[in-house]
Amino acid sequence: MPFLSIVNVSKRFGDIVALEDVTLDINEGEIIGLLGENGSGKSTLAKIIYGVYVPDKGHVTLYKDGIPQHVFFTSPRDAIKHGIVMISQRPQLVEEISAVDNITLFLGVSPHIARKIVESTLNRFNIELNLEKTVNTLSYTEKQFVELVKALSYKPKLLIVDEATTYLPKDVRVRFYEVLKMFTSLGGSVLFVTHKIPEALVVCDRIAVLRKGKLVGLFSKGEGVSIDVVRKAMFSEISRRVQPSKAVEGFYGKSSEILRFEDLVVLDDYGRKAVDGASLSVSKGLIVAVIGIAGNGQRELCEGLAGLRKAVGGKIILDNEDITFLGAAERISKGLHYIPEDPFRDGVVLDLTIAENLRLFHKGRISGEIIAKVLEDLKVYPLNPELKVYKLSGGNVQKISIARLRLSKPKCTVVYNPTRMLDETSSNLVKSMLRDLASNNVGVLLVSEDIDEVLDVADEIAVISRGKIVKSFIATEPSIREEIEKAMTLYA
Ligand SMILES: Nc1ncnc2c1ncn2[C@@H]1O[C@H](COP(=O)(O)OP(=O)(O)O)[C@@H](O)[C@H]1O
Ligand SMILES: [Mg+2]
């Protein structure tokens, strides 16, 4: 019997179709997997169920004693009232108070009653966890378990797990799954969102697959479902590493440094140190990636380097020159360019045409032919240089802002989550462009929250956690993924 039905749900963000006509039941007592590659719409669907977004079309139906009721959640508070709780990749805890106080706040009961509830949750699910410690002393793994205990203590009917286990160490993941299974055996439902197929095959009773916002497959356990079957549904074409890395030991070390930051401190919008003493060096001709769980200072690092946020400590050196106190425009003219995550926000000038945008930071003349060639190479559509940029879709705008780099020949570029808004074909194109820039001796600093993107193109990989670079790797050994994931969560 379904607990909840998603019925003909569609959701767009501007030109991006995040979900298109998705219909799916979540049954009582099942773990249903929601799979899809990055950008396929998983989190959007999860957030619609959780009341973060309202769908453009369609609705969510809840079944109370078998009787369907349309619900229109306009906030997570509404969803929580109806027994739906979500945990995601990033812990949503108040850092300065204890774990148990966090849970007390969430449950909205007296501390005395909260303690009793929490104790019974720990017993029921056989979880060992010290909840008296202040959250900011806990490891990432511990925090995710606090989130789990917090959610379960509420006695939800549906638990949405959006990539919350993706970065946990393997043995801990197994423990987490055991708890989810116990929860469903007691009648609860789990929507398990992941892009990892093996994980889903172990955990889920059924697997739903999204591709570009559409539900393209629904599989039940034991009906011949395998990694291959799910992978075929997830990807229109099997994606590969864009190009082999050239960070062989010989190359590494010989190349000269183009960008360096030292003990950099940059504040977030609330005045907290989002970048807190980070240091890293980028060499000409290499793609250096900074990877971390979302919210560990990536945005502030990028904006600090681009001159959109002040550095309140440390220094930034571009080609042997201290640029720490230069403004954004001066940094561009010195050869440091920035491609933001959201190209509509600061990537392009929307009221200018494609051609005008491409000429914007270019010192000499650029002929119409060159522009036509660039647009063709990048498969920008429509192929009309005189079109105003605001008429293009997000993916095409992102391509324009990267195309500009190719023409303006910077010394170094900082790129933030460049493929987040793109489909697979455009993503691969952008990744080859980054590779192309590096082979033209540009230093590329790729700041990303997507480990697959990073493993695809980077020559060196640095891990950012709580605003510090905590570890770095040369992208040669195939086994680095696990080590990187470990470093990402160690202090997060
Ligand atoms: N708040 C938003 N504003 C604009 N675009 C968004 C927003 N949230 C998601 N998107 C876009 O919608 C698509 C689906 O994103 P998402 O649901 O986060 O995918 P997934 O969780 O599968 O990686 C992507 O193209 C993404 O860039
Ligand atoms: Mg997601």
Side-chain angles (χ1 to χ4, degrees):
M1 191 165 71
F3 160 68
L4 178 150
S5 299
I6 297 147
V7 187
N8 302 117
V9 161
S10 298
K11 179 75 184 172
R12 308 173 67 106
F13 295 102
D15 278 348
I16 297 172
V17 178
L19 290 172
E20 196 177 333
D21 202 21
V22 173
T23 296
L24 182 68
D25 286 344
I26 300 176
N27 295 322
E28 282 178 12
E30 78 169 344
I31 304 183
I32 181 164
L34 184 60
L35 274 87
E37 65 169 328
N38 272 306
S40 57
K42 304 181 298 291
S43 292
T44 303
L45 189 61
K47 286 176 184 165
I48 283 175
I49 299 171
Y50 200 46
V52 178
Y53 298 138
V54 176
D56 300 334
K57 281 198 206 129
H59 58 263
V60 175
T61 299
L62 273 186
Y63 294 84
K64 279 234 164 106
D65 308 318
I67 302 160
Q69 311 178 341
H70 284 3
V71 284
F72 293 93
F73 300 148
T74 52
S75 72
R77 191 185 300 253
D78 287 347
I80 291 168
K81 264 191 229 153
H82 285 83
I84 300 169
V85 178
M86 175 151 92
I87 44 187
S88 57
Q89 187 182 323
R90 193 175 163 199
Q92 309 283 329
L93 300 165
V94 182
E95 290 274 323
E96 292 77 17
I97 62 177
S98 72
V100 68
D101 286 347
N102 265 280
I103 299 176
T104 307
L105 275 180
F106 182 71
L107 296 179
V109 295
S110 74
H112 175 69
I113 293 175
R115 255 168 221 280
K116 287 215 154 134
I117 295 175
V118 169
E119 227 161 80
S120 99
T121 307
L122 293 176
N123 280 332
R124 194 154 21 114
F125 294 100
N126 201 7
I127 301 172
E128 266 180 52
L129 196 61
N130 179 353
L131 293 164
E132 302 301 330
K133 287 201 214 160
T134 311
V135 169
N136 60 24
T137 65
L138 300 177
S139 69
Y140 177 74
T141 297
E142 288 169 324
K143 285 183 197 172
Q144 289 299 67
F145 266 90
V146 173
E147 285 283 43
L148 183 61
V149 171
K150 180 177 111 181
L152 292 172
S153 293
Y154 190 79
K155 295 207 169 71
K157 298 203 173 70
L158 169 64
L159 182 59
I160 304 172
V161 180
D162 186 356
E163 306 264 9
T165 55
T166 306
Y167 294 117
L168 295 179
K170 209 169 184 178
D171 51 326
V172 180
R173 281 207 301 263
V174 171
R175 188 69 201 99
F176 207 102
Y177 303 155
E178 279 169 12
V179 175
L180 294 182
K181 293 211 159 148
M182 266 193 246
F183 172 68
T184 52
S185 72
L186 296 170
S189 312
V190 174
L191 179 66
F192 187 78
V193 181
T194 181
H195 64 277
K196 292 190 169 176
I197 305 172
E199 223 183 332
L201 288 175
V202 171
V203 184
C204 303
D205 303 306
R206 290 194 302 154
I207 291 177
V209 178
L210 285 176
R211 187 163 81 210
K212 294 178 183 158
K214 286 192 191 141
L215 188 76
V216 293
L218 189 57
F219 307 99
S220 293
K221 195 165 213 160
E223 288 176 5
V225 45
S226 64
I227 292 189
D228 254 7
V229 168
V230 179
R231 188 184 288 141
K232 280 214 178 90
M234 268 170 77
F235 300 103
S236 35
E237 48 185 87
I238 302 299
S239 53
R240 283 185 308 271
R241 207 183 147 87
V242 172
Q243 264 189 32
S245 159
K246 63 175 177 183
V248 285
E249 312 277 332
F251 185 87
Y252 179 70
K254 267 191 210 155
S255 163
S256 56
E257 178 180 276
I258 187 70
L259 177 74
R260 181 173 85 239
F261 49 91
E262 278 175 32
D263 303 323
L264 192 65
V265 181
V266 184
L267 305 182
D268 66 11
D269 294 339
Y270 304 97
R272 293 178 300 220
K273 289 182 182 172
V275 178
D276 189 7
S279 306
L280 190 69
S281 160
V282 179
S283 293
K284 282 182 195 163
L286 288 185
I287 302 181
V288 178
V290 171
I291 174 87
I293 289 174
N296 274 282
Q298 289 96 318
R299 175 179 302 280
E300 291 80 5
L301 173 64
C302 290
E303 294 182 355
L305 293 173
L308 302 170
R309 257 173 218 273
K310 267 199 311 218
V312 298
K315 57 181 172 184
I316 306 168
I317 310 289
L318 177 71
D319 204 8
N320 294 316
E321 187 185 343
D322 191 330
I323 60 160
T324 317
F325 301 105
L326 298 188
E330 281 172 294
R331 292 185 199 201
I332 293 171
S333 70
K334 298 261 178 204
L336 177 63
H337 287 208
Y338 173 46
I339 305 288
E341 170 182 52
D342 178 358
F344 288 103
R345 235 183 86 202
D346 357 61
V348 291
V349 183
L350 294 175
D351 262 345
L352 295 182
T353 65
I354 295 177
E356 284 164 340
N357 266 285
L358 289 176
R359 291 193 171 110
L360 210 56
F361 296 126
H362 197 71
K363 286 176 186 139
R365 217 184 82 83
I366 310 179
S367 69
E369 290 88 79
I370 291 183
I371 287 188
K373 171 88 170 59
V374 168
L375 297 184
E376 204 186 308
D377 281 358
L378 289 179
K379 302 187 173 66
V380 171
Y381 182 81
L383 233 172
N384 172 8
E386 299 315 316
L387 208 66
K388 296 242 165 139
V389 164
Y390 70 80
K391 295 203 168 144
L392 297 177
S393 70
N396 281 305
V397 175
Q398 187 66 292
K399 287 189 224 165
I400 300 289
S401 79
I402 293 182
R404 200 166 59 194
L405 275 183
R406 198 147 102 170
L407 291 168
S408 58
K409 302 202 174 72
K411 291 179 183 165
C412 184
T413 174
V414 177
V415 199
Y416 182 34
N417 280 339
T419 62
R420 202 177 82 91
M421 317 254 287
L422 305 186
D423 62 41
E424 200 182 325
T425 313
S426 305
S427 292
N428 285 338
L429 209 59
V430 165
K431 286 188 257 183
S432 336
M433 284 182 67
L434 295 179
R435 171 55 55 208
D436 207 46
L437 281 168
S439 39
N440 281 301
N441 226 23
V442 175
V444 178
L445 182 67
L446 167 66
V447 181
S448 175
E449 282 141 24
D450 179 356
I451 191 164
D452 295 307
E453 171 181 275
V454 162
L455 288 171
D456 242 11
V457 296
D459 300 308
E460 294 174 38
I461 300 173
V463 174
I464 189 167
S465 177
R466 292 187 169 191
K468 289 186 174 65
I469 302 293
V470 292
K471 208 151 189 181
S472 56
F473 302 87
I474 299 177
T476 44
E477 321 92 72
S479 63
I480 57 173
R481 176 191 285 265
E482 265 194 33
E483 285 182 58
I484 293 171
E485 291 184 346
K486 214 156 122 198
M488 282 166 70
T489 59
L490 198 53
Y491 315 94

